[in-house]
Amino acid sequence: MESLPDHILQYILSNINNARDVAACNCVSKGWKDSMAYIRSLYFPRNSFDNLAGNESSDNIIKRMVSTVVRLQELVVYSPFSCFGLASWLSHVGLSLSRLELRIENFGNSREFFISGPKLDCIGAARNLKSLKLWRVVMINYLPQWDVFQNLRTLEIIGSALEAHVLTAVLLSCPYLTRLSLLGCDGARAFSINLQYLEQCKLIFRGYGNFSLSLTSPKIESLEVHGCNWIRVPETKNLRTLSISNTSGKVYIVDFGHLTALEFLSMRGVQWRWESICKMLKLASEVKHLYMKIESVADYVGFYPFPEIDFVDFFNNHPKLRKFDIHGGMFAALCQRNSLKHVDPGFVIPCLEEVVITVKTSLNGGEKISTLESLLKYGKNLRTMVIRILQMNYSQSYVSADDFFNKICRLRYLNHEIVRIE
């Protein structure tokens, strides 16, 4: 290292970001210490100050380290800090920061439970941010006092408590976002998001799955929503990837615009209204990859069996489908005897290349085998069929699981180049 030219040494050291490593490098020599002033990123893990000696606070140590950097671009702090400490750091490096990530721990301290809002105010000093990531903040009774972030494109809020009006105020300060993630958040029951430049959105709400969402973003391309039972997205002409899931509650209402650009659709959950399933399948007529894992159908009163899905109509209405992943009850709905009685001789499934099917029971095994055979027969471009068989639940009224499995094995033997059993 001593024989390296100064500019090479400076380049190598400037790529170190862990706070402990940076502190160690500062102690090696004057040349190394001078080079550390040109680091671009600083990362403070949660255990950065576990063995802190003396009376100096972690706030002061972080302040001293960031103040020695000429132009810090990224700051990640997972270790505990105070709002006063954060304000003092950002007063030194706020204008140069392009990425800021903070873990704000308030949940275990009742005295500080409601101070996340004031603690966040000083983030406004980093007005040139391009990316902001906040962990475990409480945004309930306080509106952060931020000016508009002109350059902020990515906002992630994780494991936090949010009220709808506070989120609205936050988003008003971030009007140019192209990527928004709310992961593991709770608080309000209804969220309304209006962002004109948003392209990617990931919303995962925790709780009982009874959130409602209204999203207005004309440029949205990718949307993932988990935990909502009412979803409204009217502007969807650019939407290419859509995932809707709810493992704790029911999906009652889905209200989308035309999904003419949609290429991937995933529908998952314990309970969906059948009308919502049919509506999504009708809108997603141009989809290329379809994933369906819905355990049961239910309305506002109770459960009822899966209605029949006509095999021929389904594939005629999804002519561009290339990959099809279907699970359990949804596959059973597709395996109805009547839909395969009268098939037009010219019927084909033109684009289908890969099928993944999960079978949970041997009930109506004959119809299921017939459907699998039909996929092989009419899928002229089918290259892969994966059959996943879960532990069979059957009684005397069911087709024997052993007989059903033997038929599956025979199907695989006759089509060994395509069919695989897992």
Side-chain angles (χ1 to χ4, degrees):
M1 293 289 284
E2 293 178 354
S3 62
L4 291 175
D6 290 343
H7 65 282
I8 299 295
L9 178 63
Q10 180 177 310
Y11 175 78
I12 294 172
L13 295 178
S14 67
N15 284 280
I16 297 174
N17 62 5
N18 189 286
R20 288 181 179 273
D21 297 334
V22 171
C25 290
N26 276 326
C27 300
V28 173
S29 67
K30 184 178 184 303
W32 279 43
K33 183 176 182 179
D34 292 342
S35 295
M36 298 312 297
Y38 297 96
I39 62 174
R40 296 183 292 270
S41 174
L42 260 178
Y43 166 54
F44 292 87
R46 296 192 66 179
N47 60 350
S48 296
F49 305 104
D50 284 355
N51 299 313
L52 188 62
N55 297 323
E56 191 169 21
S57 67
S58 59
D59 285 345
N60 289 335
I61 296 175
I62 297 175
K63 178 181 178 181
R64 185 168 65 249
M65 293 185 70
V66 301
S67 62
T68 60
V69 180
V70 174
R71 187 172 178 82
L72 191 65
Q73 297 177 8
E74 179 182 23
L75 178 61
V76 179
V77 183
Y78 285 175
S79 58
F81 61 91
S82 69
C83 55
F84 306 105
L86 179 61
S88 65
W89 317 333
L90 295 182
S91 66
H92 287 281
V93 297
L95 295 180
S96 66
L97 282 180
S98 61
R99 180 173 182 266
L100 178 62
E101 180 175 348
L102 302 172
R103 185 180 184 96
I104 302 175
E105 296 284 6
N106 293 319
F107 294 93
N109 190 333
S110 59
R111 184 178 62 85
E112 294 189 352
F113 188 83
F114 293 105
I115 71 167
S116 277
K119 185 179 284 190
L120 297 177
D121 281 352
C122 56
I123 293 177
R127 59 177 178 267
N128 293 319
L129 283 178
K130 295 180 180 179
S131 175
L132 175 61
K133 189 172 184 178
L134 302 173
W135 294 73
R136 296 179 66 82
V137 297
V138 178
M139 305 174 104
I140 295 181
N141 296 320
Y142 188 89
L143 302 180
Q145 303 301 305
W146 294 341
D147 293 328
V148 172
F149 290 100
Q150 298 290 338
N151 300 318
L152 192 64
R153 298 295 181 267
T154 300
L155 175 63
E156 296 183 61
I157 301 176
I158 303 170
S160 303
L162 297 173
E163 284 291 349
H165 69 285
V166 179
L167 179 63
T168 299
V170 168
L171 296 181
L172 286 175
S173 300
C174 315
Y176 304 109
L177 288 179
T178 59
R179 181 180 177 186
L180 173 65
S181 297
L182 304 178
L183 310 179
C185 294
D186 199 354
R189 288 291 173 261
F191 289 94
S192 179
I193 297 173
N194 190 333
L195 292 168
Q196 297 302 304
Y197 299 95
L198 191 65
E199 297 175 358
Q200 300 179 41
C201 186
K202 187 173 184 179
L203 308 172
I204 300 178
F205 301 107
R206 63 188 179 191
Y208 297 103
N210 57 350
F211 292 86
S212 63
L213 169 70
S214 176
L215 174 67
T216 304
S217 301
K219 294 187 176 182
I220 191 71
E221 296 179 0
S222 176
L223 175 61
E224 180 177 349
V225 182
H226 175 79
C228 287
N229 58 11
W230 186 92
I231 304 168
R232 180 178 181 271
V233 187
E235 300 184 66
T236 54
K237 64 179 181 180
N238 295 310
L239 190 61
R240 290 178 173 82
T241 301
L242 174 61
S243 178
I244 303 172
S245 63
N246 195 341
T247 57
S248 300
K250 302 176 182 178
V251 177
Y252 282 127
I253 298 176
V254 288
D255 183 8
F256 284 82
H258 296 294
L259 299 174
T260 54
L262 194 67
E263 297 180 356
F264 172 79
L265 172 62
S266 173
M267 298 188 295
R268 294 174 294 141
V270 178
Q271 302 168 23
W272 277 58
R273 285 184 70 227
W274 183 249
E275 291 79 2
S276 298
I277 296 173
C278 293
K279 184 174 184 178
M280 292 306 304
L281 291 177
K282 182 178 180 179
L283 288 172
S285 59
E286 304 296 312
V287 71
K288 296 178 181 178
H289 181 184
L290 179 59
Y291 182 96
M292 295 196 296
K293 183 183 178 182
I294 299 171
E295 301 296 334
S296 59
V297 289
D299 54 19
Y300 298 102
V301 178
F303 301 95
Y304 53 90
F306 277 93
E308 177 179 344
I309 298 177
D310 188 275
F311 182 91
V312 176
D313 288 346
F314 176 84
F315 286 103
N316 280 338
N317 293 330
H318 301 89
K320 297 182 180 180
L321 191 61
R322 294 182 182 176
K323 183 175 181 180
F324 186 33
D325 195 321
I326 188 167
H327 187 283
M330 288 302 302
F331 177 59
L334 194 66
C335 298
Q336 300 294 332
R337 182 180 302 171
N338 294 331
S339 63
L340 293 172
K341 279 186 176 180
H342 305 288
V343 180
D344 192 303
F347 170 71
V348 295
I349 306 173
C351 298
L352 191 63
E353 298 177 357
E354 181 179 350
V355 176
V356 181
I357 298 169
T358 301
V359 182
K360 297 180 64 176
T361 174
S362 60
L363 181 64
N364 297 326
E367 286 80 0
K368 291 176 180 177
I369 295 295
S370 178
T371 301
L372 295 174
E373 292 173 341
S374 297
L375 288 168
L376 292 167
K377 177 180 178 180
Y378 299 112
K380 300 302 182 182
N381 294 309
L382 190 63
R383 297 183 298 181
T384 304
M385 175 185 285
V386 179
I387 304 173
R388 295 172 177 164
I389 301 178
L390 302 184
Q391 183 177 2
M392 291 292 175
N393 297 316
Y394 64 97
S395 64
Q396 292 180 352
S397 61
Y398 286 19
V399 175
S400 168
D402 290 338
D403 291 343
F404 178 68
F405 187 74
N406 287 336
K407 292 178 181 179
I408 293 286
C409 291
R410 182 176 181 276
L411 184 73
R412 183 201 178 282
Y413 176 78
L414 295 175
N415 303 274
H416 62 275
E417 295 181 352
I418 297 176
V419 179
R420 186 171 80 246
I421 299 176
E422 295 182 353

